[in-house]
Amino acid sequence: VAADIKTPWLSVVGPADLKCPPDTEEWTYARLSRAPKSRIVCSRAEGFEHDYGHVDLVLGYNAEKELWPKLEEFLVSTGRG
């Protein structure tokens, strides 16, 4: 149950993600009531080169430059990096 999760949680959202659309992620994120949580929205509105889709989040052309440093920052900030 999401409400029982206590481990730091990072949601990475791509507005063009058809496998896990943003509204699905928002539903899950809202239920993580006990976990320290963060969200990265990989969109033009947030300063990314384009609106990311599902595969873009890991293998996208700009993911290494735009997203990976943010993932590392989260891991370091939670003592996991």
Side-chain angles (χ1 to χ4, degrees):
V1 176
D4 294 334
I5 295 172
K6 298 177 188 171
T7 302
W9 184 277
L10 176 64
S11 287
V12 181
V13 185
D17 188 340
L18 301 178
K19 295 207 180 283
C20 183
D23 59 338
T24 300
E25 179 277 334
E26 290 169 11
W27 186 91
T28 304
Y29 192 83
R31 284 154 180 76
L32 294 165
S33 56
R34 299 174 74 190
K37 57 187 180 179
S38 298
R39 175 187 286 134
I40 300 171
V41 180
C42 301
S43 68
R44 287 181 184 218
E46 296 294 326
F48 287 78
E49 291 281 326
H50 66 277
D51 290 339
Y52 280 44
H54 194 76
V55 175
D56 295 325
L57 295 170
V58 177
L59 301 174
Y61 182 75
N62 294 315
E64 184 175 359
K65 174 180 72 174
E66 295 183 318
L67 178 58
W68 295 6
K70 295 177 186 305
L71 299 176
E72 181 180 24
E73 181 181 313
F74 173 79
L75 292 171
V76 169
S77 74
T78 59
R80 287 156 170 74

Coordinates of all heavy atoms in Angstrom, one line a residue:
V1 N 0.9 -1.2 0.0 CA 0.0 0.0 0.0 C 0.9 1.2 0.0 O 1.8 1.3 0.8 CB -0.9 0.0 1.2 CG1 -1.8 1.3 1.3 CG2 -1.8 -1.2 1.2
A2 N 0.6 2.2 -0.9 CA 1.5 3.4 -1.0 C 1.6 4.1 0.3 O 2.6 4.7 0.6 CB 0.9 4.3 -2.1
A3 N 0.6 4.2 1.1 CA 0.6 5.0 2.3 C 1.6 4.4 3.3 O 2.0 5.1 4.2 CB -0.8 5.0 2.9
D4 N 2.0 3.1 3.1 CA 2.9 2.5 4.1 C 4.4 2.7 3.7 O 5.3 2.3 4.4 CB 2.6 1.0 4.2 CG 1.3 0.7 4.8 OD1 0.8 1.6 5.6 OD2 0.7 -0.3 4.5
I5 N 4.6 3.2 2.5 CA 6.0 3.4 2.0 C 6.7 4.5 2.8 O 6.1 5.6 2.9 CB 6.0 3.6 0.5 CG1 5.5 2.4 -0.3 CG2 7.4 4.0 0.0 CD1 5.3 2.6 -1.7
K6 N 7.9 4.2 3.3 CA 8.6 5.3 4.0 C 10.0 5.6 3.3 O 10.6 6.6 3.7 CB 8.9 4.7 5.4 CG 7.7 4.5 6.2 CD 8.1 3.9 7.6 CE 6.8 3.5 8.4 NZ 7.2 2.7 9.6
T7 N 10.3 4.8 2.4 CA 11.6 5.0 1.6 C 11.5 6.3 0.8 O 10.4 6.5 0.2 CB 11.9 3.8 0.7 OG1 11.9 2.7 1.5 CG2 13.2 4.0 -0.1
P8 N 12.5 7.1 0.7 CA 12.4 8.3 -0.2 C 12.0 7.9 -1.6 O 12.5 6.9 -2.2 CB 13.9 8.8 -0.2 CG 14.4 8.4 1.1 CD 13.8 7.0 1.4
W9 N 11.1 8.7 -2.2 CA 10.5 8.4 -3.5 C 10.7 9.5 -4.4 O 10.5 10.7 -4.1 CB 9.0 8.2 -3.2 CG 8.2 7.8 -4.4 CD1 7.7 8.6 -5.4 CD2 7.8 6.5 -4.7 NE1 7.0 7.9 -6.3 CE2 7.0 6.6 -5.9 CE3 7.9 5.3 -4.1 CZ2 6.5 5.5 -6.5 CZ3 7.4 4.2 -4.7 CH2 6.7 4.3 -5.9
L10 N 11.1 9.1 -5.6 CA 11.3 10.1 -6.7 C 10.4 9.7 -7.9 O 10.6 8.6 -8.4 CB 12.7 10.2 -7.2 CG 13.0 11.1 -8.4 CD1 12.7 12.6 -8.0 CD2 14.4 11.0 -8.8
S11 N 9.5 10.5 -8.2 CA 8.7 10.3 -9.4 C 9.3 11.1 -10.6 O 9.6 12.3 -10.4 CB 7.2 10.8 -9.2 OG 6.5 9.9 -8.4
V12 N 9.5 10.5 -11.7 CA 10.0 11.1 -12.9 C 8.9 11.0 -13.9 O 8.5 9.9 -14.3 CB 11.3 10.5 -13.4 CG1 11.8 11.2 -14.6 CG2 12.3 10.5 -12.3
V13 N 8.4 12.2 -14.3 CA 7.2 12.2 -15.2 C 7.5 12.8 -16.5 O 8.2 13.8 -16.6 CB 6.1 13.1 -14.5 CG1 4.8 13.1 -15.3 CG2 5.9 12.7 -13.1
G14 N 7.0 12.1 -17.5 CA 7.1 12.7 -18.9 C 5.7 13.0 -19.4 O 4.8 12.0 -19.5
P15 N 5.4 14.2 -19.8 CA 4.0 14.5 -20.2 C 3.6 13.8 -21.5 O 2.4 13.6 -21.7 CB 4.1 16.0 -20.5 CG 5.3 16.5 -19.8 CD 6.2 15.4 -19.6
A16 N 4.6 13.3 -22.2 CA 4.2 12.5 -23.4 C 4.3 11.0 -23.2 O 4.3 10.2 -24.1 CB 5.2 12.9 -24.6
D17 N 4.4 10.6 -21.9 CA 4.4 9.2 -21.5 C 3.1 8.6 -21.6 O 2.1 8.9 -20.9 CB 5.0 9.1 -20.1 CG 5.3 7.6 -19.7 OD1 4.8 6.7 -20.3 OD2 6.0 7.5 -18.7
L18 N 2.9 7.6 -22.6 CA 1.6 6.9 -22.7 C 1.5 5.7 -21.9 O 0.4 5.1 -21.7 CB 1.4 6.6 -24.2 CG 1.5 7.8 -25.2 CD1 1.3 7.3 -26.6 CD2 0.4 8.8 -24.8
K19 N 2.7 5.1 -21.4 CA 2.6 3.9 -20.6 C 2.3 4.2 -19.1 O 1.6 3.5 -18.5 CB 4.0 3.2 -20.6 CG 4.3 2.7 -22.0 CD 5.2 1.5 -21.9 CE 5.6 1.0 -23.3 NZ 4.5 0.2 -23.9
C20 N 2.8 5.4 -18.6 CA 2.4 5.8 -17.3 C 2.1 7.3 -17.4 O 3.0 8.1 -17.1 CB 3.5 5.5 -16.3 SG 3.1 6.0 -14.6
P21 N 1.0 7.7 -17.8 CA 0.6 9.1 -18.0 C 0.7 9.9 -16.7 O 0.6 9.3 -15.6 CB -0.8 9.0 -18.5 CG -1.1 7.6 -18.9 CD -0.1 6.8 -18.1
P22 N 0.9 11.2 -16.8 CA 1.1 12.0 -15.7 C -0.1 11.9 -14.7 O 0.2 11.9 -13.5 CB 1.1 13.4 -16.2 CG 1.8 13.2 -17.6 CD 1.2 11.9 -18.1
D23 N -1.3 11.7 -15.1 CA -2.4 11.6 -14.2 C -2.3 10.3 -13.3 O -2.7 10.3 -12.2 CB -3.8 11.7 -14.8 CG -4.0 10.7 -15.9 OD1 -3.0 10.1 -16.4 OD2 -5.2 10.4 -16.2
T24 N -1.7 9.3 -13.9 CA -1.5 8.0 -13.1 C -0.4 8.2 -12.1 O -0.6 7.8 -10.9 CB -1.1 6.9 -14.1 OG1 -2.2 6.7 -15.0 CG2 -0.9 5.6 -13.3
E25 N 0.6 8.9 -12.5 CA 1.7 9.2 -11.5 C 1.2 10.1 -10.4 O 1.5 9.9 -9.2 CB 2.9 9.9 -12.3 CG 4.0 10.2 -11.4 CD 3.9 11.5 -10.6 OE1 3.1 12.4 -11.1 OE2 4.5 11.7 -9.5
E26 N 0.4 11.1 -10.7 CA -0.2 12.0 -9.7 C -1.0 11.2 -8.7 O -1.0 11.5 -7.5 CB -1.0 13.1 -10.4 CG -0.1 14.1 -11.1 CD -0.9 15.0 -12.0 OE1 -2.2 15.1 -11.9 OE2 -0.3 15.7 -12.8
W27 N -1.8 10.3 -9.2 CA -2.6 9.4 -8.3 C -1.8 8.7 -7.3 O -2.0 8.7 -6.1 CB -3.5 8.5 -9.1 CG -4.4 7.7 -8.4 CD1 -5.8 8.0 -8.1 CD2 -4.2 6.4 -7.8 NE1 -6.4 7.0 -7.4 CE2 -5.4 6.0 -7.2 CE3 -3.1 5.6 -7.7 CZ2 -5.6 4.8 -6.5 CZ3 -3.3 4.4 -7.0 CH2 -4.5 4.0 -6.4
T28 N -0.7 8.1 -7.8 CA 0.2 7.4 -6.9 C 0.9 8.3 -5.9 O 1.0 8.1 -4.7 CB 1.3 6.6 -7.7 OG1 0.6 5.7 -8.6 CG2 2.2 5.8 -6.8
Y29 N 1.5 9.4 -6.5 CA 2.2 10.4 -5.7 C 1.4 10.9 -4.5 O 1.9 11.1 -3.4 CB 2.7 11.5 -6.6 CG 3.7 12.4 -6.0 CD1 5.1 12.1 -6.1 CD2 3.3 13.6 -5.5 CE1 6.0 13.0 -5.5 CE2 4.3 14.5 -5.0 CZ 5.6 14.2 -5.0 OH 6.6 15.0 -4.5
A30 N 0.1 11.2 -4.8 CA -0.7 11.7 -3.7 C -0.9 10.7 -2.6 O -1.2 11.2 -1.5 CB -2.1 12.1 -4.3
R31 N -0.8 9.5 -2.8 CA -1.0 8.5 -1.8 C 0.2 8.1 -1.0 O 0.2 7.3 -0.1 CB -1.6 7.2 -2.4 CG -3.1 7.5 -2.8 CD -3.6 6.6 -3.9 NE -5.0 6.9 -4.1 CZ -5.5 8.0 -4.7 NH1 -4.7 8.9 -5.2 NH2 -6.8 8.2 -4.9
L32 N 1.4 8.7 -1.4 CA 2.6 8.4 -0.6 C 2.7 9.4 0.5 O 3.5 10.3 0.5 CB 3.8 8.6 -1.6 CG 3.9 7.6 -2.7 CD1 4.9 8.1 -3.7 CD2 4.3 6.2 -2.1
S33 N 1.9 9.2 1.5 CA 1.7 10.1 2.6 C 2.9 10.1 3.6 O 3.1 11.1 4.3 CB 0.4 9.9 3.3 OG 0.3 8.6 3.8
R34 N 3.6 9.0 3.7 CA 4.6 8.9 4.8 C 6.0 9.0 4.2 O 7.0 9.2 4.9 CB 4.5 7.5 5.5 CG 3.1 7.4 6.2 CD 2.9 6.1 6.8 NE 3.7 5.9 8.0 CZ 3.8 4.8 8.6 NH1 3.2 3.7 8.2 NH2 4.6 4.7 9.7
A35 N 6.2 8.9 2.9 CA 7.5 8.9 2.3 C 8.0 10.3 2.0 O 7.2 11.1 1.5 CB 7.5 8.1 1.0
P36 N 9.2 10.6 2.2 CA 9.8 11.9 1.7 C 9.7 11.7 0.2 O 10.2 10.7 -0.4 CB 11.2 11.9 2.2 CG 11.4 10.7 3.1 CD 10.2 9.8 2.9
K37 N 9.2 12.7 -0.5 CA 9.0 12.5 -1.9 C 9.3 13.7 -2.7 O 9.2 14.9 -2.2 CB 7.5 12.1 -2.2 CG 6.5 13.0 -1.7 CD 5.1 12.4 -1.9 CE 4.0 13.4 -1.3 NZ 2.7 12.9 -1.5
S38 N 9.7 13.5 -4.0 CA 10.1 14.5 -4.9 C 9.6 14.1 -6.3 O 9.3 13.0 -6.5 CB 11.6 14.7 -5.0 OG 12.2 15.1 -3.8
R39 N 9.4 15.1 -7.1 CA 8.9 14.9 -8.5 C 9.7 15.7 -9.5 O 10.0 16.9 -9.2 CB 7.5 15.3 -8.6 CG 6.9 15.2 -10.0 CD 5.5 15.7 -10.0 NE 4.5 14.8 -9.4 CZ 3.6 15.2 -8.6 NH1 3.4 16.5 -8.2 NH2 2.7 14.3 -8.1
I40 N 10.1 15.1 -10.6 CA 10.7 15.8 -11.7 C 9.8 15.6 -12.9 O 9.4 14.5 -13.3 CB 12.1 15.2 -12.1 CG1 13.0 15.3 -10.9 CG2 12.7 15.9 -13.3 CD1 14.3 14.5 -11.1
V41 N 9.3 16.7 -13.4 CA 8.5 16.7 -14.6 C 9.4 17.1 -15.8 O 9.8 18.2 -15.9 CB 7.3 17.7 -14.5 CG1 6.4 17.7 -15.7 CG2 6.5 17.3 -13.3
C42 N 9.6 16.2 -16.7 CA 10.5 16.4 -17.8 C 9.7 17.0 -19.0 O 9.2 16.3 -19.9 CB 11.1 15.1 -18.2 SG 12.1 14.3 -16.9
S43 N 9.5 18.3 -18.9 CA 8.7 19.0 -19.9 C 9.3 20.3 -20.4 O 10.2 20.8 -19.7 CB 7.3 19.3 -19.3 OG 7.4 20.2 -18.3
R44 N 8.9 20.8 -21.5 CA 9.4 22.1 -21.9 C 9.0 23.2 -20.9 O 9.8 24.1 -20.7 CB 8.7 22.4 -23.3 CG 9.3 21.7 -24.4 CD 8.6 22.1 -25.7 NE 9.2 21.2 -26.8 CZ 9.4 21.6 -28.0 NH1 9.2 22.9 -28.3 NH2 9.9 20.8 -28.9
A45 N 7.9 23.1 -20.3 CA 7.5 24.0 -19.3 C 8.4 24.1 -18.1 O 8.5 25.1 -17.4 CB 6.0 23.7 -18.8
E46 N 9.1 23.0 -17.9 CA 10.1 22.9 -16.8 C 11.5 23.1 -17.2 O 12.5 22.8 -16.5 CB 9.9 21.6 -16.0 CG 8.6 21.4 -15.4 CD 8.4 22.3 -14.2 OE1 9.3 22.7 -13.5 OE2 7.2 22.7 -14.0
G47 N 11.7 23.5 -18.5 CA 13.0 23.8 -19.0 C 13.7 22.7 -19.7 O 14.9 22.8 -20.1
F48 N 13.1 21.6 -20.0 CA 13.6 20.5 -20.8 C 13.5 20.8 -22.3 O 12.7 21.6 -22.6 CB 13.0 19.2 -20.4 CG 13.4 18.6 -19.1 CD1 12.8 19.1 -17.9 CD2 14.3 17.6 -19.0 CE1 13.2 18.7 -16.7 CE2 14.6 17.1 -17.7 CZ 14.1 17.6 -16.6
E49 N 14.3 20.2 -23.1 CA 14.3 20.4 -24.5 C 13.0 20.1 -25.2 O 12.6 20.7 -26.1 CB 15.4 19.6 -25.2 CG 16.8 20.1 -24.9 CD 17.2 21.3 -25.7 OE1 16.8 21.5 -26.8 OE2 18.0 22.1 -25.1
H50 N 12.3 19.1 -24.6 CA 11.0 18.6 -25.2 C 10.2 17.9 -24.1 O 10.7 17.7 -23.0 CB 11.2 17.7 -26.4 CG 11.8 16.4 -26.1 ND1 13.2 16.2 -26.0 CD2 11.3 15.2 -25.8 CE1 13.5 15.0 -25.7 NE2 12.3 14.3 -25.6
D51 N 9.0 17.6 -24.4 CA 8.2 16.8 -23.4 C 8.6 15.4 -23.6 O 8.4 14.8 -24.6 CB 6.7 17.0 -23.8 CG 6.2 18.4 -23.4 OD1 6.8 19.1 -22.6 OD2 5.2 18.8 -24.0
Y52 N 9.1 14.8 -22.5 CA 9.6 13.4 -22.5 C 8.4 12.4 -22.6 O 7.4 12.6 -22.0 CB 10.4 13.1 -21.3 CG 11.8 13.7 -21.4 CD1 12.1 14.9 -21.8 CD2 12.9 12.9 -20.9 CE1 13.5 15.4 -21.9 CE2 14.2 13.3 -20.9 CZ 14.5 14.6 -21.4 OH 15.8 15.0 -21.4
G53 N 8.7 11.3 -23.3 CA 7.8 10.1 -23.3 C 8.5 9.1 -22.4 O 9.5 9.3 -21.7
H54 N 7.9 7.9 -22.3 CA 8.3 6.8 -21.4 C 9.7 6.4 -21.6 O 10.5 6.4 -20.6 CB 7.4 5.6 -21.6 CG 7.5 4.6 -20.5 ND1 6.9 4.8 -19.3 CD2 8.1 3.4 -20.5 CE1 7.2 3.7 -18.5 NE2 7.9 2.9 -19.2
V55 N 10.1 6.1 -22.8 CA 11.5 5.7 -23.1 C 12.5 6.8 -23.0 O 13.6 6.7 -22.5 CB 11.6 5.0 -24.4 CG1 13.0 4.6 -24.8 CG2 10.7 3.7 -24.4
D56 N 12.0 8.0 -23.3 CA 12.9 9.2 -23.2 C 13.5 9.4 -21.8 O 14.6 10.0 -21.6 CB 12.1 10.5 -23.5 CG 11.7 10.6 -25.0 OD1 12.4 10.1 -25.9 OD2 10.6 11.1 -25.2
L57 N 12.7 9.0 -20.8 CA 13.1 9.2 -19.4 C 14.5 8.5 -19.1 O 15.2 9.0 -18.2 CB 12.0 8.7 -18.5 CG 10.7 9.5 -18.5 CD1 9.6 8.7 -17.7 CD2 10.9 10.9 -18.1
V58 N 14.8 7.5 -19.8 CA 16.1 6.8 -19.5 C 17.0 6.9 -20.8 O 18.2 7.2 -20.6 CB 15.9 5.3 -19.2 CG1 17.2 4.6 -19.0 CG2 15.0 5.2 -17.9
L59 N 16.5 6.7 -21.9 CA 17.3 6.6 -23.1 C 17.2 7.7 -24.1 O 17.7 7.7 -25.2 CB 16.9 5.3 -23.9 CG 17.1 4.0 -23.1 CD1 16.5 2.8 -23.9 CD2 18.5 3.7 -22.7
G60 N 16.4 8.8 -23.7 CA 16.2 9.9 -24.6 C 17.5 10.6 -25.0 O 18.5 10.6 -24.2
Y61 N 17.5 11.3 -26.1 CA 18.7 11.9 -26.6 C 19.3 12.9 -25.6 O 20.5 13.0 -25.5 CB 18.3 12.7 -27.9 CG 19.4 13.4 -28.6 CD1 20.4 12.7 -29.2 CD2 19.6 14.8 -28.5 CE1 21.5 13.3 -29.8 CE2 20.6 15.4 -29.1 CZ 21.6 14.7 -29.7 OH 22.7 15.3 -30.3
N62 N 18.4 13.6 -24.9 CA 18.9 14.6 -23.9 C 18.9 14.1 -22.4 O 19.2 14.9 -21.5 CB 18.1 15.9 -24.0 CG 18.3 16.6 -25.4 OD1 19.4 16.7 -25.8 ND2 17.2 16.9 -26.0
A63 N 18.5 12.9 -22.2 CA 18.3 12.4 -20.8 C 19.6 12.5 -20.0 O 19.6 12.9 -18.9 CB 17.8 11.0 -20.8
E64 N 20.7 12.1 -20.6 CA 22.0 12.1 -19.9 C 22.3 13.5 -19.4 O 22.8 13.7 -18.3 CB 23.1 11.5 -20.8 CG 24.4 11.4 -20.0 CD 25.5 10.8 -20.9 OE1 25.2 10.3 -22.0 OE2 26.6 10.6 -20.4
K65 N 22.1 14.5 -20.3 CA 22.4 15.9 -20.0 C 21.4 16.6 -19.1 O 21.7 17.3 -18.1 CB 22.5 16.7 -21.3 CG 22.7 18.2 -21.1 CD 22.8 18.9 -22.5 CE 21.5 18.9 -23.1 NZ 21.4 19.7 -24.4
E66 N 20.1 16.3 -19.3 CA 19.0 17.0 -18.6 C 18.5 16.3 -17.4 O 18.2 17.0 -16.4 CB 17.9 17.3 -19.6 CG 18.2 18.2 -20.7 CD 16.9 18.4 -21.6 OE1 16.2 17.5 -21.9 OE2 16.8 19.6 -22.0
L67 N 18.4 15.0 -17.5 CA 17.7 14.3 -16.4 C 18.7 13.6 -15.4 O 18.5 13.7 -14.2 CB 16.7 13.3 -16.9 CG 16.0 12.4 -15.9 CD1 15.2 13.2 -14.9 CD2 15.1 11.4 -16.7
W68 N 19.7 12.9 -15.9 CA 20.6 12.2 -15.1 C 21.2 13.0 -13.9 O 21.3 12.4 -12.8 CB 21.6 11.4 -15.9 CG 21.1 10.4 -16.9 CD1 19.8 10.1 -17.1 CD2 21.8 9.5 -17.7 NE1 19.6 9.1 -18.0 CE2 20.9 8.7 -18.4 CE3 23.2 9.3 -17.9 CZ2 21.3 7.8 -19.3 CZ3 23.6 8.4 -18.8 CH2 22.6 7.6 -19.5
P69 N 21.6 14.2 -14.2 CA 22.2 15.0 -13.0 C 21.1 15.2 -11.9 O 21.5 15.2 -10.7 CB 22.6 16.3 -13.6 CG 22.8 16.0 -15.1 CD 21.8 14.9 -15.4
K70 N 19.9 15.3 -12.3 CA 18.8 15.5 -11.3 C 18.6 14.2 -10.5 O 18.3 14.2 -9.3 CB 17.5 15.9 -12.0 CG 17.6 17.3 -12.6 CD 16.3 17.7 -13.3 CE 16.4 19.0 -14.0 NZ 16.8 20.1 -13.3
L71 N 18.7 13.0 -11.2 CA 18.6 11.7 -10.5 C 19.7 11.5 -9.5 O 19.5 11.1 -8.4 CB 18.6 10.6 -11.6 CG 17.5 10.6 -12.6 CD1 17.7 9.4 -13.6 CD2 16.1 10.5 -11.9
E72 N 20.9 11.9 -10.0 CA 22.1 11.8 -9.1 C 21.9 12.7 -7.9 O 22.2 12.3 -6.7 CB 23.4 12.2 -9.8 CG 24.6 12.1 -8.9 CD 25.9 12.4 -9.6 OE1 25.9 13.2 -10.6 OE2 26.9 12.0 -9.2
E73 N 21.4 13.9 -8.1 CA 21.2 14.9 -7.0 C 20.2 14.3 -6.0 O 20.4 14.4 -4.8 CB 20.6 16.2 -7.5 CG 20.3 17.2 -6.5 CD 19.8 18.5 -7.2 OE1 20.3 18.9 -8.2 OE2 18.8 19.0 -6.7
F74 N 19.1 13.6 -6.4 CA 18.2 13.0 -5.5 C 18.9 11.9 -4.7 O 18.7 11.8 -3.5 CB 17.0 12.4 -6.3 CG 16.1 11.6 -5.5 CD1 15.1 12.2 -4.6 CD2 16.1 10.2 -5.5 CE1 14.3 11.5 -3.8 CE2 15.3 9.5 -4.7 CZ 14.3 10.1 -3.9
L75 N 19.6 11.0 -5.4 CA 20.3 9.9 -4.7 C 21.2 10.4 -3.7 O 21.3 9.9 -2.6 CB 21.0 9.0 -5.7 CG 20.1 8.2 -6.7 CD1 20.9 7.6 -7.8 CD2 19.3 7.2 -5.9
V76 N 22.0 11.4 -4.0 CA 23.0 12.0 -3.0 C 22.2 12.6 -1.9 O 22.6 12.4 -0.7 CB 23.9 13.0 -3.7 CG1 24.7 13.8 -2.7 CG2 24.8 12.3 -4.7
S77 N 21.2 13.3 -2.1 CA 20.4 14.0 -1.1 C 19.7 13.1 -0.1 O 19.4 13.4 1.0 CB 19.4 15.0 -1.7 OG 18.3 14.3 -2.2
T78 N 19.5 11.9 -0.6 CA 18.8 10.9 0.3 C 19.8 9.8 0.9 O 19.4 8.8 1.4 CB 17.7 10.1 -0.5 OG1 18.2 9.5 -1.6 CG2 16.6 11.1 -0.9
G79 N 21.1 10.1 0.7 CA 22.1 9.2 1.2 C 22.3 7.9 0.4 O 22.8 6.9 0.9
R80 N 21.8 7.9 -0.8 CA 21.9 6.7 -1.6 C 22.8 6.8 -2.8 O 22.8 6.0 -3.7 CB 20.5 6.3 -2.1 CG 19.7 5.8 -0.9 CD 18.2 5.9 -1.2 NE 17.4 5.2 -0.2 CZ 17.3 5.5 1.1 NH1 17.9 6.6 1.5 NH2 16.6 4.8 1.9
G81 N 23.5 7.9 -2.9 CA 24.4 8.2 -4.1 C 25.8 8.1 -3.8 O 26.3 8.0 -2.7

